[in-house]
């Protein structure tokens, strides 16, 4: 039996004026994780939210917090996000000069260690470090904004990463972030994805709860 595929709604697309309502929605849905996008306006050309908002979400969230740091020099904040209650902490490979050390610090702070790859960053950059990674987040859009279109070259990256994981007998999860909808979800899972992040597809829907339920059913049938 294959393992359960996870759905992680991105709160970047939630209604920030009614955040608690959208947190409750995710709590009561079939979603597995909360995906939280932290952007600094330097690593990516946008600023989203920081510690106070993560803290507020953590207070009400009843599911694991999957925190995606789109910031330069993320080592500065690893302990801070651990203290805020992050369960998975993902840093960008492109933002870390010493990725192995960053991953070690994340694990030392009792979180799962994730690495995100921008669309242009090859899977081969992880060849010698794959066994140290709990989750690889393959960016299927350029990071910085929700609501962008899915980059088709992602499927090939997923297949390549799946084979690297198998070759090394690693336990790494493959997460896809950006432009995920019911149109590409099945193909992504077929290529080897384990976790699907979905922002605008979920929160722009008339019925986000059933959108999450249907997406989960679609990839877990
Ligand atoms: C983009 C973020 C994504 C974003 C996904 O930089 O990392 O998590 O919220 O949003 P959608 O699903 O709308 O592409
Ligand atoms: Zn993200």
């Amino acid at each position: 039996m294959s393992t359960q595929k996870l759905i992680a709604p991105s709160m970047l697309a939630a209604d920030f004026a009614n955040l608690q309502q959208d947190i409750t929605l995710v709590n009561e849905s079939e979603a597995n994780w909360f995906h939280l996008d932290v952007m600094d306006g330097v690593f990516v050309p946008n600023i989203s939210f920081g510690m106070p908002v993560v803290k507020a979400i953590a207070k009400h969230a009843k599911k694991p917090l999957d925190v995606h740091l789109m910031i330069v020099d993320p080592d500065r904040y690893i302990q801070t996000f651990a203290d805020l209650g992050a369960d998975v902490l993902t840093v960008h490979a492109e933002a870390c000069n010493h990725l192995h050390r960053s991953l070690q610090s994340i694990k030392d702070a009792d979180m799962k260690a994730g690495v995100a790859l921008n669309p242009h960053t090859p899977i081969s950059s992880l060849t010698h470090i794959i066994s140290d990674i709990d989750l690889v987040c393959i960016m299927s859009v350029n990071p910085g904004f929700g609501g962008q279109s899915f980059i088709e070259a992602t499927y090939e990256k997923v297949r390549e990463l799946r084979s690297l994981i198998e070759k090394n007998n690693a336990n790494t999860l493959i997460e896809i972030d950006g432009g995920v909808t019911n149109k590409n979800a099945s193909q992504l899972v077929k290529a080897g994805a384990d976790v699907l992040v979905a922002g605008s597809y979920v929160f722009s829907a008339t019925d986000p709860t059933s959108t999450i339920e249907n997406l989960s059913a679609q990839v877990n049938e």
Side-chain angles (χ1 to χ4, degrees), residues 25-162:
L25 186 153
V26 174
N27 279 337
E28 292 174 355
S29 76
E30 297 282 313
N32 304 90
W33 293 352
F34 284 83
H35 184 82
L36 307 183
D37 290 300
V38 176
M39 304 178 186
D40 67 356
V42 180
F43 181 72
V44 288
N46 193 17
I47 299 175
S48 56
F49 51 77
M51 290 77 168
V53 173
V54 173
K55 188 176 180 184
I57 294 174
K59 190 170 158 203
H60 299 285
K62 297 190 176 125
K63 296 177 180 180
L65 302 184
D66 171 35
V67 179
H68 177 192
L69 297 183
M70 283 158 275
I71 66 174
V72 295
D73 197 5
D75 297 31
R76 295 170 293 161
Y77 299 111
I78 289 172
Q79 191 56 51
T80 306
F81 282 101
D83 295 342
L84 288 172
D87 295 277
V88 182
L89 192 66
T90 297
V91 295
H92 265 264
E94 306 84 4
C96 297
N97 285 331
H98 302 282
L99 185 56
H100 186 272
R101 182 184 293 154
S102 303
L103 295 174
Q104 230 40 65
S105 306
I106 295 172
K107 290 183 190 176
D108 288 347
D110 285 329
M111 296 176 288
K112 297 275 185 213
V115 177
L117 299 182
N118 280 339
H120 75 277
T121 304
I123 296 299
S124 60
S125 62
L126 303 178
T127 303
H128 305 289
I129 204 177
I130 191 68
S131 303
D132 297 293
I133 309 175
D134 294 311
L135 173 146
V136 174
C137 174
I138 297 185
M139 292 307 303
S140 38
V141 297
N142 283 297
F145 302 92
Q148 304 179 81
S149 331
F150 179 81
I151 297 171
E152 297 287 322
T154 304
Y155 298 118
E156 187 49 39
K157 281 182 93 170
V158 179
R159 283 191 284 270
E160 208 184 307
L161 177 57
R162 175 54 62 202

